[in-house]
Amino acid sequence: MNSPGTTNKSLLLSFVWIFLFSCGTKESVDLTADRAEILRLHNEQRNHHFNKDSIAFARQLSDNFISVNKGIISRPGREETISRYNGYFSSVEFVKWDDLSEPIIRFSEDGSMAYTIVDKLVMITYENETGERVEGKTHFAWTAIYKKYGDEWKIDVVTSTERPPG
């Protein structure tokens, strides 16, 4: 039969082991579900363009959003983003906003961040200075960095490039 001191030591050691083991385990991450959610958000962006929904588009961006575009680093606020995209969406009609290949999606080890690498062809029509309807076509490549805020993925950074014509 164990003495009371031995029983207490055994209980204490058990609690210490449980505490240490629980501190060392990572919260489980469902990368399959997270990948599906990132892809859903990516595909929603197309809908936001065709539906000219600058507000829904801006909701995908975090409060810490940074844009890297045409050699300029900026931190536009939500209202600035909405205004910019509202003006853009109002001046064009989208013909295509299509992936040329499946987006590449990767996750950080702890599953709190992800990025997509996108290869996209965008075709629009718009009125030029003389009121004539013209077509524009741009081949974009970009990286979007997502961060998980609670249970919600938001875009923290987008670095975008345009392929030169020709």
Side-chain angles (χ1 to χ4, degrees), residues 31-162:
L31 292 183
T32 302
D34 285 338
R35 184 183 193 293
E37 177 62 8
I38 295 288
L39 195 55
R40 184 188 71 76
L41 291 169
H42 170 77
N43 290 329
E44 256 188 14
Q45 293 169 24
R46 182 181 194 279
N47 296 336
H48 299 330
H49 280 70
F50 276 92
N51 295 328
K52 301 177 181 245
D53 192 346
S54 56
I55 294 171
F57 182 78
R59 277 194 209 120
Q60 285 199 7
L61 309 177
S62 77
D63 292 337
N64 304 311
F65 178 69
I66 299 170
S67 171
V68 182
N69 191 6
K70 298 182 183 188
I72 298 171
I73 300 169
S74 64
R75 291 180 163 90
R78 188 164 317 277
E79 291 306 315
E80 182 182 346
T81 299
I82 291 169
S83 176
R84 178 175 166 236
Y85 277 91
N86 191 42
Y88 173 53
F89 291 165
S90 298
S91 66
V92 302
E93 294 298 322
F94 289 94
V95 177
K96 281 188 175 200
W97 204 82
D98 297 344
D99 291 327
L100 296 178
S101 60
E102 185 73 17
I104 298 167
I105 302 173
R106 299 285 187 271
F107 290 89
S108 63
E109 282 189 32
D110 68 355
S112 66
M113 295 186 81
Y115 65 83
T116 58
I117 298 175
V118 178
D119 186 15
K120 176 93 54 197
L121 180 64
V122 177
M123 293 178 65
I124 58 172
T125 61
Y126 60 95
E127 282 187 17
N128 66 13
E129 313 77 47
T130 62
E132 181 184 4
R133 201 91 186 138
V134 294
E135 187 175 272
K137 179 169 99 172
T138 308
H139 186 170
F140 289 98
W142 71 76
T143 302
I145 300 173
Y146 290 78
K147 184 174 180 183
K148 201 167 197 180
Y149 292 89
D151 291 334
E152 191 174 21
W153 288 100
K154 295 285 187 178
I155 300 171
D156 260 1
V157 178
V158 172
T159 300
S160 182
T161 62
E162 299 173 26

Side-chain angles (χ1 to χ4, degrees), residues 1-14:
M1 184 168 188
N2 291 340
S3 69
T6 306
T7 302
N8 287 342
K9 286 179 187 174
S10 295
L11 280 173
L12 180 61
L13 280 173
S14 295

